[in-house]
Amino acid sequence: MSTNEQKESLDFVRTIVANDLESKKHNGKVRTRFPPEPNGYLHIGHAKSIVLNFGIAAENQDGKCNLRFDDTNPVKEDVEYTDSIKEDVRWLGYDWEDRQFFASDYFEKLYQFAEELIRQGKAYVCDLSAEETRKTRGTMTEPGQNSPYRDRGVEENLDLFQRMRAGEFADGARVLRAKIDMAAANISLRDPTIYRIRKVDHHRTGDSWCIYPMYDFAHCLSDSIEGITHSICTLEFQNNRPLYDWFLAQLPVESHPQQIEFARLNLSYTMLSKRKLMQLVEEKVVSGWDDPRMPTLSGLRRRGYTPEAIRNFCERIGVAKRDSLVDVALLEHSIRDDLNWKVPRVMGVLRPLKVVIDNYPEDQVEHFEAPNLPDDPQKMGSRQVPFSRELYIERTDFMEDPPKKFFRLGPGREVRLRWAYLITCERVVKDPESGEVIELGCRYDPATKGGNAPDGRRVKGTIHWVSAAHALAAEVRLYDRLFLTEKPGVGKDADWHADLNPDSLQVLADCQLEASLDQAQPGQKYQFERQGYFALDPVASSPTRKVFNRTVALRDSWAKIAKKAKK
Ligand code: ATP
Ligand code: MG
């Protein structure tokens, strides 16, 4: 491929990076960063940013990506979040090596930069209340009004700012503002606040500071201090870019990173806002940040998602400059796609119905060899599956009065037990009170060992089963979307509570699984044939009771859509 052809296949962010490298704009360097605010757990939207930032660094020689905690807001942050963020980034497969930074490490430098702005006459201490500041900011169509404190002299400003730092004034009494232009068309340039007084402890700097820098001031300077070349952020910061550039242009900085905005990930039937996810946790709608229904990386991991699937998903959706809504079915497709060739098939009965093989000897046990990956039997070897007189099959694999097209079990009907024998249903036992079917009596055909009839008779249905005496009793949790609407909580007066799916969690407490699952380790993944992909829950399982989460069902609506589109 020629350089031009290579460039054509790049997304717009990578194109900018490639052009900058070519023109030696940042001395031929690529430095990116992933800058989470440690005020919650990371979600799949953050993964998009991680994959982009770490990905671009990895694709370029000597490219590096920093992990920077944007911890300028002292009240909402916590070490619990810092730790979980590191765990999640590592789990996704990225390494920041020794480049873990905190914006709070730069507080002194940032303070010095603020004093520098004051000395240049480009920042002033303003005594207006928050309410007055808001009122005098103007609107999209009207300019703002100058603060009466705008023309304070440099000495007075320095003195007041130093006393703000020393703790002489109450929260909200004064702020430091940049002196730019109250008539600027871009509202973010109308003398924005750059420091405010907050007499609260910070989780890293303790009580050393009672003034804290605002995001716009701290972020561009932190980028510059770290020598970031491309500061990639989401679209809502587009209007702040002139301010980002203004601070860097006024101050004696060594490097001027370029801010590039891309569209954030929006996923259908999913909320991606840490604030709202926090509400789900605090209101106990879910069991925690790692509830398998959460779109958090910890939730997805617990549910059985792999880092590869998430990275592939992020690469598949790509980056663009326009907001869009990604179908959650694409995420589900990514995990199926990844697990398909990776995990063994096993048999697990989720809603057991007892079957007695009336003509099978009472104490006999046979073992059938079952390939772990039937589509490629060499790849994963096989296991021995025990068979005996009493079995469990799936309740939904029997119908007392089946329609013609039902190829599973019914009175007098014959079906294939996967890897074992053909059986015919001869007896239906019901609970005398409820009338519910509680047991089936069947006859097996000893000549059909392995599941094939020597006389060539056709048996369409094949069902899974487990031997009752050998089965592992376990709990299985099935998940559905947490929300019933495509854009939960979005729109005028919208409240996500109204969009919740009451049936998002289904607990099946009496499942009977193939004996080999007794060996499952936390997080280990399987396909339960005909039921989906499952992973052993590392949190809910105990040494005596295993709990499996269904990661995803087998039916792939996305693959179907993609197939149709191709036709
Ligand atoms: P939230 O809106 O969930 O509170 P945030 O943007 O406030 O997220 P940060 O911790 O500030 O969360 O985000 C860290 C990085 O992840 C930022 O660069 C941000 O742009 C990016 N990011 C956050 N949400 C998404 C998303 N949905 N899609 C892509 N990138 C995202
Ligand atoms: Mg944020």
Side-chain angles (χ1 to χ4, degrees):
M1 246 195 294
S2 73
T3 321
N4 274 342
E5 276 174 65
Q6 273 169 3
K7 267 196 200 163
E8 268 172 33
S9 65
L10 299 178
D11 59 57
F12 83 97
V13 181
R14 288 177 165 87
T15 304
I16 294 174
V17 173
N19 287 336
D20 289 350
L21 274 175
E22 210 170 70
S23 68
K24 303 261 180 317
K25 181 169 168 192
H26 305 277
N27 299 320
K29 282 200 322 184
V30 177
R31 292 280 182 284
T32 55
R33 85 285 172 267
F34 172 62
E37 192 181 344
N39 62 349
Y41 282 61
L42 297 182
H43 53 60
I44 182 80
H46 292 111
K48 177 174 177 178
S49 173
I50 295 168
V51 170
L52 183 62
N53 278 294
F54 279 92
I56 287 179
E59 287 153 23
N60 289 284
Q61 213 185 350
D62 300 326
K64 299 219 176 342
C65 179
N66 298 352
L67 174 63
R68 179 191 329 133
F69 293 100
D70 226 323
D71 58 349
T72 50
N73 187 352
V75 276
K76 294 185 292 183
E77 295 154 1
D78 204 303
V79 279
E80 178 197 348
Y81 301 134
T82 324
D83 291 345
S84 76
I85 289 169
K86 288 198 276 188
E87 187 185 351
D88 288 348
V89 175
R90 252 188 232 118
W91 176 73
L92 265 188
Y94 298 103
D95 186 0
W96 55 91
E97 297 168 326
D98 56 352
R99 298 177 311 282
Q100 168 184 302
F101 302 112
F102 291 87
S104 56
D105 287 343
Y106 310 138
F107 278 171
E108 182 60 37
K109 280 186 185 160
L110 297 174
Y111 176 84
Q112 297 302 333
F113 278 131
E115 279 204 352
E116 171 64 22
L117 275 184
I118 296 175
R119 271 184 236 108
Q120 291 182 19
K122 289 170 183 161
Y124 61 97
V125 173
C126 179
D127 303 354
L128 291 180
S129 68
E131 179 62 16
E132 288 163 329
T133 307
R134 198 184 53 76
K135 275 194 188 148
T136 51
R137 186 168 293 138
T139 64
M140 298 287 278
T141 49
E142 274 170 53
Q145 298 147 31
N146 284 356
S147 160
Y149 306 98
R150 199 172 199 262
D151 294 320
R152 269 182 168 147
V154 169
E155 290 312 314
E156 188 187 355
N157 279 321
L158 271 180
D159 174 61
L160 285 171
F161 188 48
Q162 284 158 6
R163 287 164 59 197
M164 277 169 65
R165 175 179 183 169
E168 280 188 35
F169 312 118
D171 281 14
R174 300 195 146 94
V175 296
L176 184 71
R177 293 176 74 176
K179 192 169 177 177
I180 309 180
D181 180 5
M182 288 306 290
N186 183 332
I187 295 181
S188 61
L189 293 176
R190 294 183 190 168
D191 292 10
T193 298
I194 52 183
Y195 264 91
R196 58 185 175 153
I197 305 171
R198 306 257 16 215
K199 292 191 170 164
V200 288
D201 283 6
H202 182 281
H203 77 114
R204 293 191 75 248
T205 59
D207 62 359
S208 306
W209 293 90
C210 63
I211 56 172
Y212 291 96
M214 302 299 286
Y215 176 87
D216 284 320
F217 183 70
H219 199 86
C220 59
L221 290 165
S222 303
D223 282 345
S224 176
I225 289 166
E226 292 177 15
I228 299 303
T229 55
H230 300 86
S231 175
I232 303 168
C233 62
T234 41
L235 279 183
E236 63 277 19
F237 292 99
Q238 202 157 18
N239 285 335
N240 304 45
R241 182 163 16 109
L243 182 57
Y244 184 104
D245 289 332
W246 187 87
F247 286 128
L248 294 176
Q250 314 311 310
L251 290 164
V253 293
E254 279 168 30
S255 88
H256 189 139
Q258 179 178 358
Q259 177 177 308
I260 305 168
E261 310 88 15
F262 71 101
R264 66 193 299 118
L265 170 66
N266 301 305
L267 252 196
S268 62
Y269 300 95
T270 310
M271 277 196 320
L272 292 183
S273 142
K274 272 186 283 185
R275 190 177 56 80
K276 290 181 185 168
L277 295 179
M278 174 89 77
Q279 291 171 355
L280 289 172
V281 174
E282 285 178 346
E283 295 179 25
K284 300 199 167 25
V285 173
V286 294
S287 63
W289 286 97
D290 68 347
D291 187 299
R293 291 166 293 176
M294 290 282 268
T296 51
L297 296 181
S298 47
L300 291 166
R301 173 166 64 236
R302 188 171 158 195
R303 176 129 166 199
Y305 273 75
T306 59
E308 292 82 1
I310 294 176
R311 291 201 306 263
N312 288 342
F313 167 75
C314 291
E315 273 154 26
R316 231 171 245 177
I317 58 175
V319 285
K321 217 110 185 127
R322 199 168 334 138
D323 268 317
S324 65
L325 183 67
V326 174
D327 190 339
V328 69
L330 183 59
L331 180 63
E332 293 162 357
H333 171 74
S334 298
I335 183 64
R336 280 190 202 97
D337 213 29
D338 186 49
L339 294 182
N340 185 23
W341 295 101
K342 269 191 192 167
V343 306
R345 273 54 175 168
V346 293
M347 294 194 284
V349 177
L350 303 189
R351 298 170 184 86
L353 173 62
K354 190 163 213 182
V355 168
V356 178
I357 311 288
D358 293 324
N359 60 336
Y360 196 84
E362 230 162 281
D363 299 324
Q364 186 169 314
V365 176
E366 282 177 273
H367 284 88
F368 290 101
E369 181 168 350
N372 294 324
L373 190 61
D375 283 347
D376 187 358
Q378 303 308 316
K379 200 172 160 190
M380 280 186 206
S382 61
R383 65 198 187 281
Q384 297 291 321
V385 184
F387 182 90
S388 64
R389 182 179 155 93
E390 295 196 355
L391 314 170
Y392 291 112
I393 65 163
E394 208 68 59
R395 215 156 248 292
T396 45
D397 281 337
F398 172 81
M399 274 182 94
E400 210 182 351
D401 190 13
K404 239 197 162 146
K405 288 253 152 112
F406 185 82
F407 298 116
R408 292 168 266 168
L409 215 48
R413 294 204 182 189
E414 190 168 39
V415 79
R416 178 178 301 102
L417 293 178
R418 181 81 151 150
W419 314 121
Y421 289 108
L422 300 182
I423 60 167
T424 305
C425 176
E426 295 189 322
R427 223 164 28 84
V428 179
V429 183
K430 290 185 188 174
D431 181 308
E433 274 170 26
S434 65
E436 189 197 3
V437 176
I438 50 173
E439 186 182 306
L440 302 178
C442 296
R443 179 172 45 77
Y444 87 114
D445 178 352
T448 60
K449 195 162 176 171
N452 294 313
D455 61 3
R457 71 179 182 271
R458 263 167 67 88
V459 173
K460 262 200 169 171
T462 301
I463 65 175
H464 60 275
W465 54 275
V466 294
S467 162
H470 303 86
L472 172 74
E475 177 175 318
V476 167
R477 299 178 180 175
L478 305 182
Y479 302 100
D480 197 353
R481 288 165 188 166
L482 193 50
F483 294 100
L484 292 169
T485 43
E486 214 175 27
K487 298 178 180 177
V490 175
K492 202 173 163 282
D493 306 324
D495 175 5
W496 57 260
H497 292 86
D499 299 331
L500 277 172
N501 175 4
D503 302 316
S504 59
L505 168 65
Q506 199 182 349
V507 176
L508 303 175
D510 305 304
C511 304
Q512 297 288 344
L513 311 178
E514 180 180 312
S516 69
L517 285 164
D518 195 32
Q519 302 302 313
Q521 297 300 308
Q524 202 167 341
K525 298 162 184 64
Y526 302 87
Q527 185 192 106
F528 291 6
E529 286 194 285
R530 304 170 68 218
Q531 303 285 10
Y533 292 98
F534 293 78
L536 184 69
D537 191 315
V539 183
S541 297
S542 73
T544 52
R545 183 167 172 78
K546 290 195 154 62
V547 177
F548 287 88
N549 291 317
R550 179 152 75 185
T551 312
V552 69
L554 289 179
R555 207 168 57 106
D556 191 338
S557 54
W558 181 265
K560 252 190 229 156
I561 294 167
K563 228 182 187 173
K564 250 192 210 157
K566 260 194 207 157
K567 275 183 193 162

